[in-house]
Amino acid sequence: MTDRLIRAITADGMVKATAVTTRELTERARQIHKTLPVVTAALGRTLAAASMMGNALKSEGASLSIQVRGGGPVGAIVAISDSEGNVRGYAEHPQVDLPLRSDGKLDVGAAVGCDGTLTVIKDLCMKEPYIGSVQLLGGEIAEDIAQYFVESEQIPTACALGVLVDRDQSVRCAGGYLIQLLPGAGEDVISKVEAGVYAAGAVTKLLTANDDPEAMLRTVLSEFELEVLETAPVAYRCTCSRDRVERALLSLGADELRQMLDEQGHAELTCQFCDQVHQFSGEDLRRILELAQKK
Ligand SMILES: [Zn+2]
């Protein structure tokens, strides 16, 4: 099934919730970056969170980035979403391999590390982007996202994310949910949400049973009446293009372009999000150099 995101609110207006399935886009990320399982899980969780948070922006051209820097062997993890929830991302060291935890699970926390920060950048196409940052709690991503919402946006949030990697290292299922309390929600609502989250169990268990974001939300929020507000397909989507890369080359300035032309005779730039190689011949470079000189 294609990856999908759903957005819902409880009939009492106290809780809003988003859920997403991301098996295909996580598998795409794995194939592009050749990630090993623990990195597939770490990057996959971050992509799922970015998709849900990006989809919440609701203004055209806006984007949301999550950067996780935990000091662990995987290095930085970056995920960027557009305002519909389509994502792209990468991990600095995709081929990190670590022993499984004692419970048999991938040790995402150890790969990411917990000595660092999770930063969210919202670019709403205004002058300055909004930037919020929190200290990592455990590097497992979901609890760090929840902490971000509590600290930076003062929204009580439950977040769960999961990626199940198959024996052949492909992604078997992936996704997550975000549940947020709206103003006026009291202790009774909080305890009902907490009980639902606890009873539902792990995201990977829910998705293995039924790879459907709505079914997942209905299970977690079974004590509430849910109204679905929106369902949307989401995918791995890179926004790079030859034009954009050319603009980046132009911005290097005449001196650097001339040096590139003298030393290499051409340019080959690889997009860090999709691994597409953008080739510029000597002739292309001379044309861009001319433009740079006119500036
Ligand atoms: Zn790209």
Side-chain angles (χ1 to χ4, degrees):
M1 201 186 275
T2 50
D3 297 333
R4 276 181 312 140
L5 181 146
I6 93 152
R7 199 165 271 298
I9 188 165
T10 56
D12 61 9
M14 293 296 169
V15 181
K16 64 174 181 172
T18 310
V20 69
T21 51
T22 53
R23 192 196 72 78
E24 289 194 9
L25 68 86
T26 309
E27 175 63 14
R28 179 89 187 94
R30 179 186 80 89
Q31 289 173 2
I32 292 169
H33 301 301
K34 299 171 184 65
T35 50
L36 289 180
V38 75
V39 187
T40 307
L43 178 59
R45 289 181 194 180
T46 314
L47 288 168
S51 176
M52 291 190 282
M53 292 164 72
N55 177 276
L57 296 178
K58 295 291 165 227
S59 63
E60 212 182 312
S63 68
L64 180 140
S65 315
I66 301 175
Q67 297 176 0
V68 183
R69 292 170 201 278
V74 71
I77 297 174
V78 176
I80 303 178
S81 175
D82 65 17
S83 62
E84 290 167 358
N86 300 301
V87 287
R88 59 193 189 274
Y90 65 90
E92 203 174 352
H93 303 295
Q95 265 117 41
V96 169
D97 196 9
L98 289 177
L100 295 175
R101 300 193 319 201
S102 55
D103 61 3
K105 296 216 160 82
L106 293 166
D107 201 344
V108 173
V112 172
C114 56
D115 182 18
T117 53
L118 180 143
T119 302
V120 174
I121 303 164
K122 289 186 198 175
D123 186 349
L124 303 172
C125 309
M126 315 235 243
K127 259 191 185 149
E128 297 288 327
Y130 164 86
I131 303 175
S133 197
V134 290
Q135 293 293 315
L136 288 173
L137 290 172
E140 294 279 340
I141 314 292
E143 59 177 342
D144 303 304
I145 294 284
Q147 188 62 19
Y148 159 80
F149 276 108
V150 172
E151 274 186 35
S152 288
E153 303 198 13
Q154 287 78 46
I155 305 171
T157 300
C159 178
L161 304 165
V163 175
L164 186 63
V165 179
D166 227 326
R167 267 185 231 166
D168 65 358
Q169 300 198 349
S170 68
V171 178
R172 193 153 153 197
C173 63
Y177 61 78
L178 265 182
I179 296 174
Q180 304 191 298
L181 298 186
L182 292 166
E187 282 300 325
D188 55 327
V189 175
I190 296 173
S191 39
K192 270 197 329 196
V193 170
E194 282 175 350
V197 167
Y198 182 77
V203 164
T204 49
K205 189 194 88 177
L206 293 168
L207 292 178
T208 302
N210 187 355
D211 189 34
D212 174 36
E214 183 175 342
M216 178 158 63
L217 271 195
R218 291 202 183 275
T219 305
V220 177
L221 295 174
S222 60
E223 292 296 309
F224 295 87
E225 197 182 324
L226 269 191
E227 286 174 17
V228 174
L229 303 173
E230 179 194 354
T231 49
V234 292
Y236 194 96
R237 190 173 295 169
C238 190
T239 53
C240 73
S241 65
R242 195 177 163 82
D243 271 2
R244 277 187 186 224
V245 178
E246 182 165 329
R247 283 202 294 276
L249 277 172
L250 187 58
S251 71
L252 292 175
D255 290 348
E256 206 155 323
L257 283 165
R258 199 173 297 114
Q259 194 183 349
M260 198 181 274
L261 196 56
D262 289 346
E263 287 173 7
Q264 298 160 33
H266 66 106
E268 203 176 271
L269 291 96
T270 306
C271 172
Q272 60 188 348
F273 292 103
C274 69
D275 264 3
Q276 191 179 333
V277 180
H278 298 275
Q279 305 269 10
F280 291 85
S281 65
E283 204 174 314
D284 293 329
L285 281 184
R286 273 187 288 276
R287 179 174 52 78
I288 298 166
L289 174 59
E290 254 174 56
L291 286 173
Q293 283 165 335
K294 279 183 200 155
K295 276 198 161 178

